[in-house]
Amino acid sequence: MQTLIENVNIVNPFEDVKTHQNVLIEDNLIKEISSSKINAKDNVNVIDGEDNYLLSGFIDCHTHIFAKGFHKEENMANPLGLHFYNAVPHSLQTINAGVTSIRDCGSADLSFKLAQERKLFKAPKIHLSITPLVMTGGHFDLLLPSGFDMEIMYPGFPKGRCDGIEEVLKKTREVKRAGADFIKVMCSGGVLTTNTSPEFAQFNKKELKTIVKEASANDMKVSAHCHSLKGMNNCIDAGFSSIEHGTFIDRKTAQRMVEKEVSLVPTLLVHQFLYEHGFPAWDNYALEKTEKLKEIVKVHKENISVAYDEGVNILMGTDSGVIPHGHNLEELIHLTDIGMSPEEAIASGTVNAAKYLGCDDLGLVKENYVADLILVNSNPLDDVSVLSVNDNILHVLQDGDVLK
């Protein structure tokens, strides 16, 4: 199967825009790129690029594709099946936003990965963490004061709660057994969980080092949900590969991350979105969450800007699922707000994200790269905000298939 995209301008970060190009896709790979006419098969599918801009499809490095706000009350009332069916519209919203791959940081399971591979519905490719490891009483420990445990459970999906070296070792193995591509650990308090606070570290160093050692033995990276400064330094000491959120990061910690090659996924969009749009009226903890957000929103961008200045490898992630899906590329605007150029922001969600995930043939519009591509109606290097409007994304291709 061949697809020919004619008359497009190719945008790769840190390269000159290549104008008036033709791109031949065969099966799932970009076979040829040329400014001259390309010879193709008689039955080739031709797309007129109309002098628009062709980029790699984006990789959202922090999503929750099954989630719809993490409202525990809804989990209690709804049939379990809705937890899975939600992934269908969420996936379409994500694809339509120009995101062709995601790194799911908790809630999606192996069934989604298999469904995407079998093309059962339009969905981004996925790197799975299955469920985050959480200490008793920590962020995402969903056992309420009432005694009801609101953590979603079913066969093949392990509970994340664990304490002590033996338990975290076993839980890491359980999560790997369930199909995880990487391990996610809740290493500080959070905004959405009651009775915890973002500035407090969670798990001790021995527990964290045990998780990393076991994951590394299986060639798996370990990622930390972490707002806390102490928590971040614990994770750096333990050998984590990435910090998610990083709200209270300082210059010294940023320098340590550069030295140890630890990446940062700041998810700037989620806090601003929640602060502006609030929580459902029936959420009994809405006021507590909003109070936490006041401090988070105030310091987050300022601190991430420090991390950027120090040269930390920053990757694009949105925490979609906590907020509605389909707003993914709005994150690029926030990344430019902390000092990134448009091409640096684009790279954080394309080529740099692909490198972090170990995908050497993804993230650029180049020959012999995977044909995960988006066609945009104007040059995002002039104004990266054009990518935040889904209507500006004219076509989305994944493995050479036209999904939008």
Side-chain angles (χ1 to χ4, degrees):
M1 175 65 183
Q2 288 187 332
T3 298
L4 178 61
I5 308 174
E6 296 182 322
N7 189 24
V8 292
N9 306 301
I10 294 176
V11 177
N12 284 319
F14 316 117
E15 298 179 8
D16 293 335
V17 176
K18 294 181 179 179
T19 59
H20 308 301
Q21 300 291 301
N22 302 307
V23 179
L24 179 65
I25 299 165
E26 187 165 292
D27 298 325
N28 70 323
L29 297 178
I30 299 171
K31 184 177 182 181
E32 185 178 353
I33 298 174
S34 177
S35 57
S36 303
K37 179 178 174 60
I38 293 178
N39 294 320
K41 296 178 180 178
D42 291 340
N43 62 345
V44 64
N45 174 36
V46 178
I47 298 174
D48 185 355
E50 299 182 325
D51 203 29
N52 290 303
Y53 292 80
L54 190 70
L55 292 79
S56 169
F58 279 82
I59 301 167
D60 190 330
C61 288
H62 190 122
T63 61
H64 303 276
I65 199 68
F66 280 16
K68 194 176 182 180
F70 287 104
H71 301 306
K72 296 182 288 292
E73 293 83 353
E74 290 186 351
N75 291 343
M76 181 170 61
N78 291 333
L80 178 61
L82 283 181
H83 180 63
F84 304 96
Y85 288 128
N86 281 335
V88 178
H90 296 169
S91 294
L92 184 59
Q93 289 164 338
T94 303
I95 289 291
N96 287 341
V99 173
T100 50
S101 294
I102 59 173
R103 176 173 168 261
D104 192 277
C105 287
S107 76
D109 67 6
L110 187 59
S111 68
F112 182 94
K113 189 171 188 175
L114 296 175
Q116 187 281 324
E117 290 173 350
R118 297 173 189 182
K119 311 296 184 184
L120 297 185
F121 52 90
K122 295 178 181 180
K125 300 171 184 177
I126 191 167
H127 289 252
L128 289 166
S129 67
I130 306 294
T131 191
L133 276 58
V134 52
M135 72 178 200
T136 297
H139 179 55
F140 225 68
D141 179 354
L142 301 182
L143 197 150
L144 303 182
S146 64
F148 287 100
D149 192 343
M150 303 309 301
E151 186 171 0
I152 291 177
M153 295 177 289
Y154 52 90
F157 193 83
K159 290 177 66 68
R161 193 183 302 123
C162 51
D163 300 282
I165 291 173
E166 295 300 325
E167 285 191 12
V168 300
L169 175 62
K170 184 175 182 180
K171 193 60 61 177
T172 302
R173 291 172 176 172
E174 286 182 0
V175 170
K176 177 186 179 295
R177 180 178 63 187
D181 299 302
F182 70 101
I183 303 297
K184 166 82 178 295
V185 188
M186 298 303 199
C187 298
S188 81
V191 176
L192 298 185
T193 301
T194 57
N195 300 321
T196 71
S197 187
E199 67 267 26
F200 296 144
Q202 297 183 354
F203 285 112
N204 61 46
K205 285 188 181 181
K206 289 183 179 180
E207 291 168 321
L208 298 177
K209 288 180 179 179
T210 299
I211 296 166
V212 171
K213 183 177 180 180
E214 181 61 22
S216 298
N218 293 280
D219 199 25
M220 299 170 73
K221 292 181 177 179
V222 184
S223 166
H225 157 98
C226 199
H227 300 282
S228 159
L229 187 61
K230 181 179 180 182
M232 281 183 262
N233 280 286
N234 287 346
C235 292
I236 296 168
D237 290 340
F240 276 56
S241 298
S242 74
I243 302 292
E244 316 293 308
H245 315 307
T247 301
F248 298 114
I249 193 170
D250 64 6
R251 195 170 299 278
K252 183 177 179 181
T253 303
Q255 291 168 349
R256 294 193 68 215
M257 289 180 68
V258 173
E259 179 186 350
K260 299 292 186 180
E261 298 183 341
V262 181
S263 296
L264 175 63
V265 187
T267 65
L268 294 158
L269 170 65
V270 63
H271 298 139
Q272 189 68 44
F273 192 100
L274 288 172
Y275 190 66
E276 291 176 1
H277 294 84
F279 299 91
W282 46 259
D283 189 335
N284 294 329
Y285 300 101
L287 183 60
E288 179 182 338
K289 294 173 185 177
T290 302
E291 286 299 313
K292 290 181 186 179
L293 279 170
K294 282 184 181 180
E295 178 65 16
I296 296 291
V297 170
K298 179 181 177 182
V299 304
H300 197 190
K301 280 190 175 180
E302 181 180 329
N303 291 343
I304 300 302
S305 181
V306 169
Y308 166 72
D309 289 342
E310 291 299 325
V312 175
N313 183 39
I314 293 176
L315 305 175
M316 189 198 84
T318 62
D319 223 353
S320 293
V322 175
I323 60 175
H325 298 267
H327 296 269
N328 307 67
L329 299 193
E330 290 180 25
E331 180 73 13
L332 300 174
I333 299 172
H334 295 281
L335 291 175
T336 56
D337 286 347
I338 60 103
M340 281 187 164
S341 67
E343 57 187 345
E344 285 177 319
I346 291 168
S348 76
T350 54
V351 61
N352 291 349
K355 286 179 181 177
Y356 177 84
L357 295 177
C359 302
D360 296 332
D361 59 354
L362 196 65
L364 293 171
V365 185
K366 286 189 177 296
E367 291 178 358
N368 298 315
Y369 272 59
V370 174
D372 289 359
L373 304 167
I374 63 173
L375 188 67
V376 185
N377 64 7
S378 54
N379 188 354
L381 297 179
D382 295 333
D383 180 7
V384 78
S385 69
V386 301
L387 293 167
S388 69
V389 180
N390 292 356
D391 287 345
N392 292 338
I393 298 173
L394 307 175
H395 290 295
V396 176
L397 287 81
Q398 184 190 71
D399 288 327
D401 296 329
V402 180
L403 301 189
K404 177 182 179 182

